[in-house]
Amino acid sequence: MKNRLILLVFPIVTLILEILPYGAVCNFASGPNETHRHTFSYFDLTPYGYANFAPLLTAIATCAILVVLLIYFFTYKHCMIKNTKILLYIGIILSLCPLLYGIRNFSLVGALITLSLIAELILLFVTYKKTKQNPT
């Protein structure tokens, strides 16, 4: 029970970081040589409207990860761990997509979100290996 509860910590932290208005970055030009950087929540539709799809899709993937882990928390079905790993791979790749536009489109909060997803993936590998060795 305690192991399953620990699995919920990183997705909740990731979700909190995604709600903060400092994750998604849009650079707006106010002149020929002048740009202004604005940050938004991952759930905000403004970056999505400016063709920055990755933050919103990462937030949706994080919500899916949290739902699948909650199902695992109550049912203890190991297929949910495999599904969570797949969703985590997708979330990690999506969270790194703003780097395709350049480092100016990536924020510290975005980096923390990526690190949190990677930490959850590592925790899943460690926990799943333990439960495979000691199925109780």
Side-chain angles (χ1 to χ4, degrees):
M1 178 84 160
K2 200 184 295 185
N3 287 343
R4 290 184 284 172
L5 191 59
I6 290 171
L7 290 176
L8 295 175
V9 172
F10 283 116
I12 291 171
V13 168
T14 306
L15 197 60
I16 291 169
L17 287 171
E18 289 172 348
I19 291 171
L20 294 176
Y22 307 111
V25 177
C26 284
N27 293 308
F28 298 107
S30 60
N33 297 326
E34 220 176 294
T35 59
H36 294 284
R37 179 182 170 137
H38 294 280
T39 56
F40 302 92
S41 167
Y42 268 47
F43 290 98
D44 196 346
L45 292 176
T46 305
Y48 188 81
Y50 284 99
N52 190 359
F53 303 107
L56 182 63
L57 295 176
T58 303
I60 292 170
T62 303
C63 291
I65 290 165
L66 191 59
V67 167
V68 172
L69 281 176
L70 282 171
I71 292 170
Y72 174 72
F73 182 75
F74 290 112
T75 63
Y76 204 63
K77 293 183 180 180
H78 288 291
C79 65
M80 294 299 161
I81 294 290
K82 293 176 185 176
N83 295 339
T84 305
K85 286 179 185 178
I86 292 169
L87 286 170
L88 278 166
Y89 286 128
I90 292 169
I92 291 167
I93 290 169
L94 286 172
S95 69
L96 291 172
C97 279
L99 285 174
L100 295 173
Y101 296 122
I103 194 73
R104 292 189 57 204
N105 293 311
F106 201 63
S107 67
L108 178 63
V109 174
L112 291 174
I113 289 168
T114 303
L115 289 175
S116 178
L117 290 171
I118 291 170
E120 177 66 21
L121 185 62
I122 292 169
L123 184 64
L124 270 177
F125 274 115
V126 169
T127 303
Y128 187 63
K129 189 177 278 191
K130 282 183 185 177
T131 58
K132 236 181 176 180
Q133 292 171 355
N134 302 326
T136 55

